[in-house]
């Protein structure tokens, strides 16, 4: 079984500042993928960034970077130069990297509500 | 390029009734997954359909059933509605040929309220 823990129910950040959203995970799978999604009030889950468990480098996508520490089982999202439009719920998720029974579902955390202050 | 389309966007049903939610996957995608997101929680996996068959199921009772059509669109049916079924229901599509990191596209969801 896989488990995602997001311990920050809500975060505030000043516009143009950087912010880190925490995510820890637990799994017995040897190979897995970690995802971050943004969910604005419209409800749609928007894919932000992906990290494979065997990737040597931390993933980056524009203003988003993933601070992956495998030994500590953490996959924190860093948003640089925050914008007002970044205000939303952010979810960390994972799934096994293999194909087959039990591998197709994404397991999500409870999310962090980010509020960007002008 | 249309993304994932879900209908209806909002729905109010009475306890004990049955409901059908619909999802059209992103063009080029052949797999559809359904998630339930209760207020203040992360999405929970209901099931996934591929080639018109249920490929994997989460921890949901048999009241939750689904179907996938030859054009890859999908329906989620919930029978004997309970107040606890009130949630945002998200559909996600993916392609069997696309790597997991880019595989999931979500719709905006159907907000179901059971009264």
């Amino acid at each position: 079984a896989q488990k995602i823990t997001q311990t920050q129910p809500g975060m505030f950040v000043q516009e143009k500042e950087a912010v880190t959203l925490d995510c820890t995970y637990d799994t017995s799978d040897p190979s897995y993928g970690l995802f971050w999604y943004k969910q604005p009030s419209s409800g749609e889950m928007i894919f932000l960034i992906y990290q494979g468990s065997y990737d040597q480098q931390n993933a980056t996508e524009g203003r988003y970077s993933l601070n992956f520490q495998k030994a500590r089982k953490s996959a924190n999202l860093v948003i640089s130069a925050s914008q007002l439009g970044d205000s939303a719920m952010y979810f960390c998720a994972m799934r096994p990297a293999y194909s087959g029974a039990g591998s197709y579902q994404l397991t999500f955390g409870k999310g962090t509500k980010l509020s960007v202050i002008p | 390029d249309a993304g994932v389309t879900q209908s209806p966007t909002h729905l109010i049903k009475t306890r004990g009734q049955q409901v059908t939610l619909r999802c059209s996957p992103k063009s080029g995608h052949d797999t559809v997954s359904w998630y339930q997101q209760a207020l203040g929680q992360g999405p929970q996996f209901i099931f996934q359909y591929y080639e018109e068959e249920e490929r994997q199921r989460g921890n949901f009772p048999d009241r939750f059933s689904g179907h996938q059509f030859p054009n890859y669109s999908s329906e989620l049916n919930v029978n004997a509605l309970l107040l606890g079924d009130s949630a945002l229901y998200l559909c996600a599509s993916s392609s069997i040929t696309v790597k997991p990191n880019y595989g999931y596209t979500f719709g905006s969801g159907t907000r179901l309220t059971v009264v």
Side-chain angles (χ1 to χ4, degrees), chain A:
Chain A
Q2 300 185 327
K3 184 178 179 180
I4 296 284
T5 302
Q6 294 181 254
T7 58
Q8 306 156 314
M11 290 281 287
F12 289 89
V13 64
Q14 205 76 35
E15 192 178 8
K16 300 181 183 179
E17 297 293 313
V19 64
T20 298
L21 306 183
D22 294 341
C23 172
T24 58
Y25 61 91
D26 193 19
T27 181
S28 57
D29 295 307
S31 181
Y32 48 88
L34 294 155
F35 302 76
W36 276 93
Y37 283 88
K38 172 184 178 181
Q39 187 179 42
S41 57
S42 63
E44 182 181 0
M45 300 289 280
I46 301 168
F47 167 76
L48 297 178
I49 196 166
Y50 168 86
Q51 178 82 44
S53 59
Y54 284 98
D55 291 342
Q56 295 297 315
Q57 293 185 321
N58 287 344
T60 60
E61 291 283 351
R63 295 186 300 110
Y64 305 106
S65 60
L66 201 152
N67 183 3
F68 180 49
Q69 298 186 49
K70 192 172 182 179
R72 299 180 63 180
K73 294 190 175 181
S74 73
N76 298 338
L77 176 70
V78 181
I79 305 175
S80 63
S82 296
Q83 303 171 355
L84 296 178
D86 293 335
S87 293
M89 286 293 295
Y90 288 80
F91 291 94
C92 180
M94 73 182 301
R95 61 156 281 180
Y98 58 85
S99 295
S103 70
Y104 305 116
Q105 68 182 78
L106 281 171
T107 299
F108 286 85
K110 291 188 175 182
T112 296
K113 183 177 182 179
L114 178 65
S115 299
V116 181
I117 304 168

Side-chain angles (χ1 to χ4, degrees), chain B:
Chain B
D1 180 21
V4 176
T5 304
Q6 292 188 242
S7 64
T9 55
H10 294 83
L11 198 52
I12 300 175
K13 289 287 189 178
T14 302
R15 191 171 45 184
Q17 285 188 318
Q18 178 265 345
V19 68
T20 298
L21 310 182
R22 296 176 176 82
C23 172
S24 293
K26 180 179 179 178
S27 178
H29 285 183
D30 54 13
T31 302
V32 173
S33 302
W34 287 92
Y35 289 81
Q36 180 195 66
Q37 186 178 16
L39 197 63
Q41 301 295 316
Q44 298 289 316
F45 177 76
I46 303 175
F47 42 55
Q48 185 182 84
Y49 276 82
Y50 172 66
E51 291 188 333
E52 302 179 47
E53 291 189 355
E54 183 182 291
R55 184 156 73 162
Q56 185 181 340
R57 187 179 185 91
N59 188 25
F60 279 80
D62 293 343
R63 297 187 298 107
F64 289 77
S65 63
H67 188 77
Q68 186 179 34
F69 299 93
N71 67 353
Y72 308 119
S73 67
S74 176
E75 289 182 349
L76 164 65
N77 300 292
V78 186
N79 294 323
L81 284 167
L82 303 174
L83 297 179
D85 294 332
S86 296
L88 178 67
Y89 288 84
L90 293 164
C91 172
S93 71
S94 56
S95 170
I96 196 72
T97 61
V98 176
K99 292 181 180 179
N101 45 323
Y102 295 111
Y104 298 91
T105 302
F106 282 81
S108 296
T110 294
R111 174 76 61 187
L112 172 65
T113 302
V114 182
V115 296

